[in-house]
Amino acid sequence: MTPADGNATRRAVFARAVGFIVLWLALAGPAPADLPAGVVAAAAATWVSLRLVPPSAWRVRPAALARFVVRFLVQSVIAGVDVARRALDPRLPLRTGFVSYAPHLPPGPAQSAFCTLTSLLPGTVPCGTDDSGALVIHCLDVDQFVASQLAKEETLFVHACGGDRDND
Amino acid sequence: MSLLLDIFTVVAVSLGAVFFLAGAVGLLRFPDTLTRLHALTKADNVGLGLIVLGLLPQTERPLAAVKLIVAWLLVQLASGTVSQLIARTARRTEPPA
């Protein structure tokens, strides 16, 4: 590890620890008596986050991330309206089935994060992988263009997290 | 102004309740575990989002607003994660419809 890497790691540890402390304060309130528990929780959370998502692997692009978040919010509203409409429709319009989707992300935390986002997008819930490692996606309507939609979401997600910088 | 905010709260929270109702109807009407998961995760996620949005103008301290938003994000994260775990188990144990 070069000294520059060491500095980057220290910065990441510090930023994450501060983030978790702020999160604790927002949730539990700023009572001084509770603070020791918050510090322990934040330290544990920082340790876990460093193990699961090592620093400097990906560098987030703020503008791309903001665009992704807005798009994700709009998509999840569409997802909610879509499923509510199907549930309340007397004819119960469903064409459920499985679609397999080979992700570009390798198995690991990034792929898991992508799966979690996918489960909140319209019409898709990932339910594990098949023998070839492709994601098996359960769809409300197999007639929708699920695979091309997911490919687009994945590209945007990787771009927002800066993942396409290191993988070239 | 506060009347407008109150109206906003009533409208947003009521809309949120409609989504929760739709999610519950889906849970009862949809044919299998995997399809029911769609109803719960997606409709309830929007329902909770609308309720949080509606309650934001009623908070007295900014920290309370942050807490509401964090609670919504944590629920999103939990529902996105747990729905996948249930879906994996359901696919293995339930014959495809």
Short mmCIF file of all heavy atoms in Angstrom, two decimals, chain A residues 85-141:
data_model
loop_
_atom_site.label_atom_id
_atom_site.label_comp_id
_atom_site.label_asym_id
_atom_site.label_seq_id
_atom_site.Cartn_x
_atom_site.Cartn_y
_atom_site.Cartn_z
N ARG A 85 -52.58 -0.67 -9.59
CA ARG A 85 -53.57 -0.76 -10.67
C ARG A 85 -53.91 -2.23 -10.95
O ARG A 85 -55.09 -2.60 -11.05
CB ARG A 85 -52.97 -0.12 -11.93
CG ARG A 85 -53.91 0.00 -13.10
CD ARG A 85 -53.18 0.65 -14.28
NE ARG A 85 -51.98 -0.09 -14.67
CZ ARG A 85 -52.00 -1.21 -15.41
NH1 ARG A 85 -53.14 -1.71 -15.81
NH2 ARG A 85 -50.87 -1.82 -15.74
N ARG A 86 -52.89 -3.07 -11.03
CA ARG A 86 -53.15 -4.49 -11.30
C ARG A 86 -53.92 -5.14 -10.15
O ARG A 86 -54.81 -5.97 -10.38
CB ARG A 86 -51.83 -5.24 -11.50
CG ARG A 86 -51.14 -4.90 -12.79
CD ARG A 86 -49.79 -5.60 -12.89
NE ARG A 86 -48.91 -4.92 -13.81
CZ ARG A 86 -48.81 -5.21 -15.10
NH1 ARG A 86 -49.54 -6.17 -15.60
NH2 ARG A 86 -47.99 -4.54 -15.88
N ALA A 87 -53.59 -4.76 -8.91
CA ALA A 87 -54.25 -5.38 -7.75
C ALA A 87 -55.72 -4.99 -7.69
O ALA A 87 -56.57 -5.80 -7.30
CB ALA A 87 -53.54 -4.97 -6.47
N LEU A 88 -56.03 -3.73 -8.06
CA LEU A 88 -57.40 -3.24 -7.91
C LEU A 88 -58.25 -3.49 -9.16
O LEU A 88 -59.47 -3.34 -9.11
CB LEU A 88 -57.37 -1.74 -7.59
CG LEU A 88 -56.70 -1.37 -6.26
CD1 LEU A 88 -56.61 0.15 -6.11
CD2 LEU A 88 -57.45 -1.97 -5.08
N ASP A 89 -57.62 -3.87 -10.28
CA ASP A 89 -58.37 -4.14 -11.50
C ASP A 89 -59.18 -5.43 -11.33
O ASP A 89 -58.63 -6.46 -10.96
CB ASP A 89 -57.38 -4.30 -12.67
CG ASP A 89 -58.09 -4.34 -14.02
OD1 ASP A 89 -59.14 -5.01 -14.11
OD2 ASP A 89 -57.60 -3.70 -14.96
N PRO A 90 -60.51 -5.38 -11.59
CA PRO A 90 -61.33 -6.59 -11.42
C PRO A 90 -60.85 -7.77 -12.26
O PRO A 90 -61.02 -8.92 -11.87
CB PRO A 90 -62.72 -6.14 -11.88
CG PRO A 90 -62.71 -4.66 -11.82
CD PRO A 90 -61.29 -4.21 -12.01
N ARG A 91 -60.21 -7.48 -13.42
CA ARG A 91 -59.77 -8.58 -14.29
C ARG A 91 -58.43 -9.16 -13.85
O ARG A 91 -57.98 -10.16 -14.38
CB ARG A 91 -59.66 -8.08 -15.73
CG ARG A 91 -61.03 -7.88 -16.39
CD ARG A 91 -60.86 -7.19 -17.74
NE ARG A 91 -60.36 -5.82 -17.57
CZ ARG A 91 -59.32 -5.33 -18.23
NH1 ARG A 91 -58.67 -6.05 -19.09
NH2 ARG A 91 -58.93 -4.08 -18.01
N LEU A 92 -57.78 -8.51 -12.90
CA LEU A 92 -56.48 -8.93 -12.37
C LEU A 92 -55.47 -9.21 -13.49
O LEU A 92 -55.08 -10.35 -13.73
CB LEU A 92 -56.66 -10.19 -11.50
CG LEU A 92 -55.57 -10.48 -10.45
CD1 LEU A 92 -55.50 -9.36 -9.43
CD2 LEU A 92 -55.84 -11.80 -9.74
N PRO A 93 -55.06 -8.16 -14.24
CA PRO A 93 -54.20 -8.39 -15.40
C PRO A 93 -52.75 -8.72 -15.00
O PRO A 93 -51.98 -7.84 -14.64
CB PRO A 93 -54.25 -7.04 -16.14
CG PRO A 93 -54.59 -6.03 -15.09
CD PRO A 93 -55.32 -6.75 -13.99
N LEU A 94 -52.41 -9.99 -15.05
CA LEU A 94 -51.05 -10.43 -14.73
C LEU A 94 -50.57 -11.38 -15.82
O LEU A 94 -51.34 -12.19 -16.31
CB LEU A 94 -51.03 -11.17 -13.39
CG LEU A 94 -51.37 -10.41 -12.11
CD1 LEU A 94 -51.52 -11.38 -10.96
CD2 LEU A 94 -50.30 -9.39 -11.80
N ARG A 95 -49.31 -11.24 -16.23
CA ARG A 95 -48.70 -12.25 -17.10
C ARG A 95 -47.37 -12.60 -16.45
O ARG A 95 -46.32 -12.23 -16.94
CB ARG A 95 -48.50 -11.71 -18.51
CG ARG A 95 -49.79 -11.40 -19.22
CD ARG A 95 -49.91 -11.87 -20.67
NE ARG A 95 -48.67 -12.15 -21.35
CZ ARG A 95 -48.27 -13.38 -21.67
NH1 ARG A 95 -48.97 -14.43 -21.33
NH2 ARG A 95 -47.16 -13.56 -22.34
N THR A 96 -47.43 -13.24 -15.31
CA THR A 96 -46.21 -13.45 -14.53
C THR A 96 -45.34 -14.52 -15.17
O THR A 96 -45.81 -15.38 -15.90
CB THR A 96 -46.54 -13.88 -13.09
OG1 THR A 96 -47.27 -15.10 -13.15
CG2 THR A 96 -47.36 -12.83 -12.38
N GLY A 97 -44.07 -14.43 -14.86
CA GLY A 97 -43.12 -15.41 -15.37
C GLY A 97 -41.71 -15.01 -14.99
O GLY A 97 -41.50 -14.00 -14.32
N PHE A 98 -40.75 -15.84 -15.38
CA PHE A 98 -39.35 -15.55 -15.06
C PHE A 98 -38.62 -15.10 -16.31
O PHE A 98 -38.87 -15.59 -17.41
CB PHE A 98 -38.67 -16.81 -14.52
CG PHE A 98 -39.22 -17.25 -13.19
CD1 PHE A 98 -40.12 -18.30 -13.11
CD2 PHE A 98 -38.84 -16.60 -12.02
CE1 PHE A 98 -40.64 -18.70 -11.89
CE2 PHE A 98 -39.35 -17.00 -10.80
CZ PHE A 98 -40.24 -18.05 -10.72
N VAL A 99 -37.74 -14.12 -16.12
CA VAL A 99 -36.86 -13.69 -17.19
C VAL A 99 -35.45 -13.80 -16.63
O VAL A 99 -35.22 -13.42 -15.48
CB VAL A 99 -37.16 -12.22 -17.58
CG1 VAL A 99 -36.06 -11.65 -18.45
CG2 VAL A 99 -38.50 -12.10 -18.28
N SER A 100 -34.52 -14.35 -17.39
CA SER A 100 -33.17 -14.38 -16.85
C SER A 100 -32.37 -13.24 -17.45
O SER A 100 -32.55 -12.87 -18.61
CB SER A 100 -32.52 -15.75 -17.06
OG SER A 100 -31.94 -15.81 -18.31
N TYR A 101 -31.54 -12.65 -16.61
CA TYR A 101 -30.78 -11.46 -17.02
C TYR A 101 -29.34 -11.64 -16.59
O TYR A 101 -29.06 -11.82 -15.39
CB TYR A 101 -31.39 -10.21 -16.38
CG TYR A 101 -30.57 -8.97 -16.61
CD1 TYR A 101 -30.48 -8.41 -17.87
CD2 TYR A 101 -29.86 -8.38 -15.57
CE1 TYR A 101 -29.71 -7.29 -18.10
CE2 TYR A 101 -29.09 -7.25 -15.78
CZ TYR A 101 -29.01 -6.71 -17.06
OH TYR A 101 -28.24 -5.61 -17.27
N ALA A 102 -28.42 -11.62 -17.56
CA ALA A 102 -27.00 -11.77 -17.23
C ALA A 102 -26.43 -10.39 -16.90
O ALA A 102 -26.29 -9.56 -17.79
CB ALA A 102 -26.25 -12.38 -18.41
N PRO A 103 -26.13 -10.12 -15.62
CA PRO A 103 -25.64 -8.79 -15.26
C PRO A 103 -24.18 -8.61 -15.67
O PRO A 103 -23.43 -9.58 -15.75
CB PRO A 103 -25.78 -8.77 -13.74
CG PRO A 103 -25.69 -10.19 -13.33
CD PRO A 103 -26.18 -11.02 -14.48
N HIS A 104 -23.81 -7.35 -15.93
CA HIS A 104 -22.40 -7.06 -16.23
C HIS A 104 -21.59 -6.99 -14.95
O HIS A 104 -20.39 -7.22 -14.96
CB HIS A 104 -22.30 -5.74 -17.00
CG HIS A 104 -23.07 -5.78 -18.28
ND1 HIS A 104 -22.64 -6.48 -19.37
CD2 HIS A 104 -24.26 -5.25 -18.63
CE1 HIS A 104 -23.51 -6.37 -20.35
NE2 HIS A 104 -24.52 -5.62 -19.92
N LEU A 105 -22.26 -6.67 -13.84
CA LEU A 105 -21.55 -6.59 -12.56
C LEU A 105 -21.21 -8.00 -12.10
O LEU A 105 -22.03 -8.90 -12.18
CB LEU A 105 -22.45 -5.93 -11.50
CG LEU A 105 -22.72 -4.44 -11.67
CD1 LEU A 105 -23.86 -4.02 -10.75
CD2 LEU A 105 -21.46 -3.65 -11.34
N PRO A 106 -19.98 -8.21 -11.60
CA PRO A 106 -19.64 -9.53 -11.06
C PRO A 106 -20.37 -9.74 -9.73
O PRO A 106 -20.79 -8.76 -9.10
CB PRO A 106 -18.13 -9.42 -10.84
CG PRO A 106 -17.86 -7.96 -10.66
CD PRO A 106 -18.88 -7.25 -11.50
N PRO A 107 -20.56 -11.02 -9.31
CA PRO A 107 -21.20 -11.26 -8.02
C PRO A 107 -20.43 -10.54 -6.91
O PRO A 107 -19.20 -10.51 -6.94
CB PRO A 107 -21.09 -12.78 -7.86
CG PRO A 107 -20.91 -13.31 -9.24
CD PRO A 107 -20.17 -12.25 -9.99
N GLY A 108 -21.15 -9.97 -5.97
CA GLY A 108 -20.50 -9.21 -4.90
C GLY A 108 -21.43 -8.12 -4.43
O GLY A 108 -22.59 -8.07 -4.83
N PRO A 109 -20.90 -7.23 -3.57
CA PRO A 109 -21.75 -6.20 -2.99
C PRO A 109 -22.42 -5.31 -4.05
O PRO A 109 -23.60 -4.97 -3.89
CB PRO A 109 -20.78 -5.37 -2.15
CG PRO A 109 -19.64 -6.27 -1.87
CD PRO A 109 -19.54 -7.20 -3.04
N ALA A 110 -21.70 -4.97 -5.13
CA ALA A 110 -22.28 -4.08 -6.14
C ALA A 110 -23.47 -4.75 -6.81
O ALA A 110 -24.51 -4.14 -7.02
CB ALA A 110 -21.23 -3.68 -7.17
N GLN A 111 -23.30 -6.04 -7.14
CA GLN A 111 -24.42 -6.75 -7.77
C GLN A 111 -25.61 -6.87 -6.81
O GLN A 111 -26.75 -6.72 -7.20
CB GLN A 111 -23.97 -8.15 -8.22
CG GLN A 111 -24.91 -8.76 -9.22
CD GLN A 111 -24.68 -10.25 -9.38
OE1 GLN A 111 -25.02 -11.03 -8.51
NE2 GLN A 111 -24.07 -10.64 -10.48
N SER A 112 -25.30 -7.11 -5.53
CA SER A 112 -26.38 -7.19 -4.54
C SER A 112 -27.12 -5.87 -4.43
O SER A 112 -28.36 -5.84 -4.33
CB SER A 112 -25.81 -7.57 -3.17
OG SER A 112 -25.12 -8.78 -3.25
N ALA A 113 -26.36 -4.77 -4.44
CA ALA A 113 -27.00 -3.45 -4.36
C ALA A 113 -27.90 -3.24 -5.57
O ALA A 113 -29.03 -2.75 -5.45
CB ALA A 113 -25.94 -2.35 -4.30
N PHE A 114 -27.41 -3.65 -6.74
CA PHE A 114 -28.20 -3.51 -7.96
C PHE A 114 -29.49 -4.33 -7.86
O PHE A 114 -30.57 -3.88 -8.23
CB PHE A 114 -27.38 -3.92 -9.18
CG PHE A 114 -28.16 -3.97 -10.45
CD1 PHE A 114 -28.70 -2.80 -10.99
CD2 PHE A 114 -28.41 -5.16 -11.10
CE1 PHE A 114 -29.44 -2.83 -12.14
CE2 PHE A 114 -29.15 -5.20 -12.25
CZ PHE A 114 -29.67 -4.04 -12.78
N CYS A 115 -29.37 -5.57 -7.30
CA CYS A 115 -30.55 -6.42 -7.14
C CYS A 115 -31.58 -5.77 -6.22
O CYS A 115 -32.78 -5.83 -6.47
CB CYS A 115 -30.15 -7.78 -6.56
SG CYS A 115 -29.39 -8.84 -7.75
N THR A 116 -31.08 -5.17 -5.14
CA THR A 116 -31.99 -4.53 -4.19
C THR A 116 -32.74 -3.38 -4.85
O THR A 116 -33.94 -3.21 -4.66
CB THR A 116 -31.22 -4.05 -2.96
OG1 THR A 116 -30.56 -5.17 -2.39
CG2 THR A 116 -32.13 -3.41 -1.93
N LEU A 117 -32.02 -2.60 -5.68
CA LEU A 117 -32.68 -1.52 -6.41
C LEU A 117 -33.70 -2.10 -7.39
O LEU A 117 -34.82 -1.60 -7.51
CB LEU A 117 -31.65 -0.69 -7.18
CG LEU A 117 -30.69 0.13 -6.31
CD1 LEU A 117 -29.60 0.75 -7.16
CD2 LEU A 117 -31.47 1.21 -5.58
N THR A 118 -33.31 -3.19 -8.06
CA THR A 118 -34.20 -3.82 -9.04
C THR A 118 -35.52 -4.24 -8.42
O THR A 118 -36.57 -4.13 -9.03
CB THR A 118 -33.51 -5.07 -9.62
OG1 THR A 118 -32.25 -4.70 -10.10
CG2 THR A 118 -34.33 -5.67 -10.74
N SER A 119 -35.46 -4.71 -7.17
CA SER A 119 -36.68 -5.21 -6.54
C SER A 119 -37.66 -4.08 -6.27
O SER A 119 -38.82 -4.33 -5.97
CB SER A 119 -36.35 -5.96 -5.26
OG SER A 119 -35.97 -5.06 -4.26
N LEU A 120 -37.21 -2.83 -6.37
CA LEU A 120 -38.12 -1.70 -6.18
C LEU A 120 -38.51 -1.05 -7.51
O LEU A 120 -39.25 -0.08 -7.54
CB LEU A 120 -37.50 -0.67 -5.25
CG LEU A 120 -37.25 -1.17 -3.81
CD1 LEU A 120 -36.36 -0.23 -3.04
CD2 LEU A 120 -38.56 -1.38 -3.08
N LEU A 121 -38.02 -1.60 -8.62
CA LEU A 121 -38.37 -1.06 -9.93
C LEU A 121 -39.66 -1.72 -10.43
O LEU A 121 -40.05 -2.77 -9.93
CB LEU A 121 -37.23 -1.33 -10.92
CG LEU A 121 -35.95 -0.53 -10.67
CD1 LEU A 121 -34.87 -0.95 -11.66
CD2 LEU A 121 -36.21 0.96 -10.77
N PRO A 122 -40.32 -1.11 -11.44
CA PRO A 122 -41.61 -1.63 -11.87
C PRO A 122 -41.53 -3.07 -12.38
O PRO A 122 -40.75 -3.37 -13.26
CB PRO A 122 -42.02 -0.69 -13.02
CG PRO A 122 -41.20 0.53 -12.84
CD PRO A 122 -39.94 0.11 -12.17
N GLY A 123 -42.36 -3.94 -11.78
CA GLY A 123 -42.59 -5.26 -12.34
C GLY A 123 -41.52 -6.30 -12.16
O GLY A 123 -41.63 -7.39 -12.70
N THR A 124 -40.45 -6.01 -11.40
CA THR A 124 -39.38 -7.00 -11.28
C THR A 124 -39.01 -7.27 -9.82
O THR A 124 -38.92 -6.35 -9.01
CB THR A 124 -38.10 -6.51 -12.00
OG1 THR A 124 -37.78 -5.21 -11.52
CG2 THR A 124 -38.28 -6.46 -13.49
N VAL A 125 -38.82 -8.55 -9.49
CA VAL A 125 -38.22 -8.93 -8.21
C VAL A 125 -37.17 -10.00 -8.51
O VAL A 125 -37.51 -11.05 -9.04
CB VAL A 125 -39.27 -9.50 -7.22
CG1 VAL A 125 -38.56 -10.16 -6.04
CG2 VAL A 125 -40.20 -8.43 -6.72
N PRO A 126 -35.89 -9.73 -8.24
CA PRO A 126 -34.88 -10.75 -8.48
C PRO A 126 -35.01 -11.88 -7.47
O PRO A 126 -35.26 -11.64 -6.29
CB PRO A 126 -33.55 -10.02 -8.30
CG PRO A 126 -33.86 -8.78 -7.57
CD PRO A 126 -35.32 -8.50 -7.68
N CYS A 127 -34.92 -13.12 -7.94
CA CYS A 127 -35.04 -14.23 -7.00
C CYS A 127 -33.91 -15.22 -7.20
O CYS A 127 -34.13 -16.38 -7.51
CB CYS A 127 -36.40 -14.89 -7.05
SG CYS A 127 -37.12 -15.07 -8.68
N GLY A 128 -32.69 -14.75 -7.03
CA GLY A 128 -31.54 -15.64 -7.06
C GLY A 128 -30.93 -15.75 -8.45
O GLY A 128 -31.29 -15.01 -9.36
N THR A 129 -29.97 -16.65 -8.58
CA THR A 129 -29.27 -16.83 -9.85
C THR A 129 -29.48 -18.26 -10.34
O THR A 129 -29.77 -19.16 -9.57
CB THR A 129 -27.76 -16.59 -9.66
OG1 THR A 129 -27.32 -17.35 -8.53
CG2 THR A 129 -27.46 -15.14 -9.40
N ASP A 130 -29.36 -18.43 -11.67
CA ASP A 130 -29.45 -19.79 -12.19
C ASP A 130 -28.05 -20.41 -12.26
O ASP A 130 -27.09 -19.84 -11.78
CB ASP A 130 -30.18 -19.82 -13.55
CG ASP A 130 -29.43 -19.02 -14.61
OD1 ASP A 130 -28.25 -18.70 -14.38
OD2 ASP A 130 -30.02 -18.72 -15.66
N ASP A 131 -27.94 -21.59 -12.89
CA ASP A 131 -26.67 -22.31 -12.88
C ASP A 131 -25.56 -21.53 -13.59
O ASP A 131 -24.38 -21.67 -13.26
CB ASP A 131 -26.84 -23.68 -13.55
CG ASP A 131 -27.85 -24.52 -12.77
OD1 ASP A 131 -28.00 -24.27 -11.56
OD2 ASP A 131 -28.49 -25.41 -13.37
N SER A 132 -25.94 -20.71 -14.58
CA SER A 132 -24.93 -19.98 -15.34
C SER A 132 -24.54 -18.66 -14.65
O SER A 132 -23.69 -17.94 -15.16
CB SER A 132 -25.45 -19.68 -16.74
OG SER A 132 -26.51 -18.75 -16.66
N GLY A 133 -25.17 -18.36 -13.52
CA GLY A 133 -24.83 -17.12 -12.82
C GLY A 133 -25.71 -15.95 -13.23
O GLY A 133 -25.54 -14.85 -12.70
N ALA A 134 -26.63 -16.17 -14.18
CA ALA A 134 -27.54 -15.08 -14.57
C ALA A 134 -28.60 -14.89 -13.48
O ALA A 134 -28.97 -15.84 -12.80
CB ALA A 134 -28.20 -15.41 -15.89
N LEU A 135 -29.05 -13.65 -13.32
CA LEU A 135 -30.09 -13.37 -12.34
C LEU A 135 -31.43 -13.88 -12.86
O LEU A 135 -31.75 -13.71 -14.04
CB LEU A 135 -30.21 -11.86 -12.10
CG LEU A 135 -29.00 -11.16 -11.51
CD1 LEU A 135 -29.23 -9.65 -11.50
CD2 LEU A 135 -28.74 -11.66 -10.11
N VAL A 136 -32.19 -14.52 -11.99
CA VAL A 136 -33.54 -14.93 -12.35
C VAL A 136 -34.48 -13.86 -11.80
O VAL A 136 -34.49 -13.59 -10.60
CB VAL A 136 -33.89 -16.31 -11.76
CG1 VAL A 136 -35.30 -16.69 -12.15
CG2 VAL A 136 -32.89 -17.34 -12.23
N ILE A 137 -35.22 -13.20 -12.71
CA ILE A 137 -36.09 -12.10 -12.31
C ILE A 137 -37.53 -12.53 -12.46
O ILE A 137 -37.94 -13.00 -13.53
CB ILE A 137 -35.85 -10.87 -13.22
CG1 ILE A 137 -34.36 -10.58 -13.39
CG2 ILE A 137 -36.61 -9.66 -12.71
CD1 ILE A 137 -33.72 -9.78 -12.33
N HIS A 138 -38.29 -12.39 -11.39
CA HIS A 138 -39.73 -12.67 -11.49
C HIS A 138 -40.43 -11.40 -11.96
O HIS A 138 -40.20 -10.32 -11.41
CB HIS A 138 -40.29 -13.12 -10.14
CG HIS A 138 -41.73 -13.51 -10.21
ND1 HIS A 138 -42.74 -12.64 -9.86
CD2 HIS A 138 -42.33 -14.65 -10.61
CE1 HIS A 138 -43.90 -13.25 -10.04
NE2 HIS A 138 -43.68 -14.47 -10.49
N CYS A 139 -41.26 -11.54 -12.99
CA CYS A 139 -41.90 -10.36 -13.59
C CYS A 139 -43.41 -10.45 -13.47
O CYS A 139 -43.99 -11.51 -13.58
CB CYS A 139 -41.56 -10.26 -15.07
SG CYS A 139 -39.81 -10.31 -15.38
N LEU A 140 -44.02 -9.29 -13.27
CA LEU A 140 -45.49 -9.22 -13.25
C LEU A 140 -46.04 -9.35 -14.65
O LEU A 140 -47.16 -9.81 -14.85
CB LEU A 140 -45.94 -7.87 -12.67
CG LEU A 140 -45.96 -7.72 -11.16
CD1 LEU A 140 -46.57 -6.37 -10.81
CD2 LEU A 140 -46.73 -8.83 -10.51
N ASP A 141 -45.27 -8.90 -15.63
CA ASP A 141 -45.73 -8.89 -17.00
C ASP A 141 -44.55 -9.22 -17.91
O ASP A 141 -43.72 -8.35 -18.18
CB ASP A 141 -46.30 -7.50 -17.34
CG ASP A 141 -47.01 -7.50 -18.67
OD1 ASP A 141 -46.79 -8.43 -19.46
OD2 ASP A 141 -47.79 -6.56 -18.91
#
